Amino acid sequence: MIVFDRVSKWYGAFQALNQCSTHVDRGEVVVVCGPSGSGKSTLIKCVNGLEPYQAGSLTVDGIEVGGRKTDRPRLRARIGMVFQNFELFPHLTALTNICIAQEQVLKRPPDEARHKALTLLERVGLIDHANKHPSQLSGGQQQRVAIARALAMDPMAMLFDEPTSALDPEMITEVLDVMVALAKEGMTMMVVTHEMGFARKVADRVIFMDDGRIIEDSQTDAFFGKPRSERAELFLSKILSH
Amino acid sequence: MTYNWNWSILINDPYLGWLVDGLLWTLAVSLAAWVIAFTLGSVLGILRTTPSPTLRTMAATYVEVFRNIPLLVHFFLWYFVFPELLPDAAGMWVKREMPLPAFTTAVVALGLYTASRVCEQVRAGIEAVGSGQRNAGRAMGFTEQQVYRYVLLPVAFRIIVPPMTSEFLTIFKNSSLALTIGVIELTAVTRRIEEYTFQGFEAFTAATVIYSLITFTVMGLMRLIERRSRVPGMISLGSG
């Protein structure tokens, strides 16, 4: 469904992505990992066009993301995204955060949007917090609202950009639980994360990046069994040693 | 120094009437200029943060031109120079037939100048909301306009209530420069009362008190707006 073909990106003279080719099929869960600055966030942000790329081709459901004539807002409405810092809209309640794009982008009637939002809040265990503002919620709760907000658009795929990196340890689990449930339901997911437990549990494939390149792209078992690259071995030994 | 204090002139005819008229002209110039400043300044502030380099440059140029010319010079340029630059007929109209020429010019000059300052406040507010929020809005499928309308501006305008209060106060005080092109506003009537009665201390005290009342009212109003628009649980929106 998401197909990268030799995608390259530069920030000025610095090359952030170097000929990245990979794919995420329908219903597949792909985890992207790698050291900081390796380009994994940039890679995932290319998928919904938040970051432009300068060379290669990237298609989502057959649509070229960077195409001149591509209606990017329309494409983005079909792809959910969850951010490291939650990015809920601070002036709106949890409920309104989930309703606003349904109403303004998908033009759903308010009643329907509200019903959908409440169903999703129930599902992420936050129905009692519907009328709270983001700053009245914990990080883990905010991130679960953010996931509900993305799901409300009935996306064909979900992108997660380090969804648990800004969370206290005890809140990581509550967010990962929601993500695991989502993966098991067959949602197409691309997840940038350092949570190797999560990767091992639900990922179909793991992509390892370094220095803007995709170094490894293998089945989860194979990746954890014996990463082929020295760099991935080193990375894994560092983050799994504790 | 012997000075005959005579506070009663302030409530005597015609001086009390002059003060009231002066106050009304001050309010009229300031509020009309504020409408221009706030509207134009907000549009320019938004343009300064758009992805389009052309629009950003246009707004930046406006700001640099308008805020780098002293306000007094603005009044003179708009009143004495601008009509000469127009085609003959239009220039003649501005000089001879435009209703309330001094008032209109003062409103335009003060409004356009203050817009450049409002623009920078709005820009700072939008930038304080941050690129993360902009991306979150885009990721939801919002168009650029919707991102501004539903995500950036509601928070940016809340953040900038305190600096906007300052701008709003300043516009009342700056409006006194309108006297240089002949608007008989509060400062102008104060000087006139002094000329007629030689009671300068009383007249300027009255003006000071009236300006203070205006500014206290504005501060109260802005505090009310701030309280009404406060988001529950939010201490500083800018840090989110």
Side-chain angles (χ1 to χ4, degrees):
Chain A
M1 180 185 298
I2 303 170
V3 183
F4 292 80
D5 184 19
R6 284 163 292 162
V7 172
S8 294
K9 175 182 176 65
W10 289 264
Y11 291 110
F14 173 75
Q15 187 160 12
L17 294 179
N18 191 346
Q19 304 255 336
C20 293
S21 296
T22 186
H23 59 96
V24 181
D25 296 334
R26 197 174 296 274
E28 204 174 23
V29 176
V30 173
V31 161
V32 184
C33 62
S36 59
S38 60
K40 39 192 204 310
S41 281
T42 309
L43 184 79
I44 201 169
K45 281 184 180 144
C46 284
V47 176
N48 60 356
L50 290 182
E51 292 283 356
Y53 49 90
Q54 284 83 36
S57 147
L58 168 52
T59 60
V60 177
D61 198 28
I63 302 162
E64 180 69 41
V65 178
R68 285 181 72 91
K69 289 190 176 155
T70 304
D71 183 352
R72 265 175 292 280
R74 195 157 162 206
L75 181 65
R76 287 177 186 139
R78 301 171 62 205
I79 308 170
M81 184 154 197
V82 175
F83 298 86
Q84 181 174 4
N85 293 314
F86 331 131
E87 304 296 353
L88 292 176
F89 307 133
H91 57 299
L92 304 176
T93 61
L95 186 69
T96 331
N97 259 284
I98 306 176
C99 289
I100 188 160
Q102 294 187 67
E103 292 171 20
Q104 303 303 335
V105 177
L106 302 180
K107 307 290 176 201
R108 279 186 189 148
D111 284 351
E112 194 185 325
R114 191 185 150 82
H115 181 255
K116 178 107 192 164
L118 290 172
T119 313
L120 284 163
L121 278 173
E122 175 95 62
R123 178 168 157 190
V124 297
L126 292 171
I127 192 77
D128 296 335
H129 302 277
N131 292 314
K132 287 191 182 168
H133 281 77
S135 49
Q136 296 169 306
L137 300 171
S138 72
Q141 291 170 330
Q142 288 189 56
Q143 194 61 299
R144 283 185 281 154
V145 173
I147 294 172
R149 176 176 72 173
L151 290 175
M153 306 295 282
D154 293 322
M156 58 179 169
M158 287 280 287
L159 309 173
F160 294 84
D161 186 9
E162 304 208 30
T164 57
S165 309
L167 294 175
D168 291 335
E170 72 260 41
M171 292 173 185
I172 291 178
T173 323
E174 67 189 50
V175 170
L176 288 181
D177 285 347
V178 172
M179 291 170 61
V180 169
L182 203 56
K184 294 204 165 138
E185 282 165 30
M187 175 60 80
T188 308
M189 292 164 66
M190 188 165 173
V191 187
V192 173
T193 186
H194 296 298
E195 296 295 332
M196 288 302 122
F198 171 81
R200 201 173 276 184
K201 197 162 166 188
V202 297
D204 296 298
R205 285 190 2 256
V206 178
I207 291 171
F208 176 78
M209 289 186 71
D210 190 25
D211 204 17
R213 279 175 228 267
I214 293 178
I215 308 278
E216 271 204 48
D217 182 350
S218 40
Q219 300 296 316
T220 306
D221 292 345
F223 182 80
F224 287 106
K226 187 165 174 43
R228 281 155 291 176
S229 73
E230 220 176 286
R231 190 68 190 84
E233 292 267 20
L234 183 66
F235 176 76
L236 277 181
S237 71
K238 273 185 185 161
I239 65 168
L240 295 178
S241 64
H242 301 292
Chain B
M1 179 185 119
T2 52
Y3 183 81
N4 289 319
W5 291 93
N6 181 7
W7 292 99
S8 65
I9 60 124
L10 294 177
I11 52 166
N12 279 353
D13 199 42
Y15 309 120
L16 179 63
W18 290 6
L19 282 174
V20 171
D21 281 350
L23 168 64
L24 292 177
W25 281 113
T26 289
L27 292 177
V29 169
S30 309
L31 294 175
W34 182 248
V35 171
I36 297 178
F38 186 75
T39 320
L40 181 62
S42 299
V43 171
L44 289 168
I46 291 167
L47 293 184
R48 285 212 74 173
T49 61
T50 51
S52 155
T54 320
L55 295 177
R56 283 206 308 268
T57 311
M58 274 168 50
T61 310
Y62 179 94
V63 169
E64 294 314 333
V65 169
F66 278 78
R67 76 172 171 188
N68 286 322
I69 298 174
L71 182 54
L72 185 59
V73 178
H74 266 287
F75 279 103
F76 291 161
L77 285 177
W78 288 104
Y79 198 60
F80 299 115
V81 181
F82 174 70
E84 306 300 333
L85 301 177
L86 294 172
D88 285 348
M92 228 25 159
W93 183 83
V94 168
K95 281 188 278 190
R96 295 272 173 82
E97 285 158 58
M98 186 172 75
L100 302 172
F103 170 78
T104 311
T105 309
V107 167
V108 169
L110 187 56
L112 295 184
Y113 168 79
T114 311
S116 68
R117 302 175 51 93
V118 170
C119 164
E120 289 302 275
Q121 311 284 9
V122 172
R123 173 173 77 111
I126 293 170
E127 284 172 357
V129 180
S131 60
Q133 287 278 305
R134 187 189 286 266
N135 273 346
R138 284 180 182 159
M140 303 302 299
F142 285 145
T143 60
E144 282 312 306
Q145 288 95 313
Q146 286 178 319
V147 168
Y148 276 92
R149 180 165 164 203
Y150 298 114
V151 180
L152 298 177
L153 294 182
V155 180
F157 276 113
R158 283 177 168 91
I159 294 175
I160 62 170
V161 171
M164 286 295 248
T165 307
S166 296
E167 291 305 330
F168 199 16
L169 293 177
T170 305
I171 210 166
F172 286 99
K173 291 176 281 179
N174 281 345
S175 72
S176 60
L177 284 178
L179 74 88
T180 59
I181 57 171
V183 178
I184 309 301
E185 46 66 71
L186 188 54
T187 306
V189 298
T190 309
R191 284 173 26 147
R192 185 177 282 183
I193 291 173
E194 190 204 6
E195 284 159 14
Y196 275 67
T197 65
F198 300 106
Q199 303 294 354
F201 286 107
E202 291 86 341
F204 278 100
T205 305
T208 307
V209 170
I210 296 172
Y211 276 116
S212 304
L213 287 177
I214 297 175
T215 51
F216 287 137
T217 310
V218 168
M219 278 156 62
L221 181 77
M222 294 302 271
R223 210 166 291 148
L224 191 71
I225 291 177
E226 198 173 2
R227 206 172 307 143
R228 282 282 174 81
S229 63
R230 185 169 293 159
V231 173
M234 205 75 201
I235 295 159
S236 162
L237 278 166
S239 65

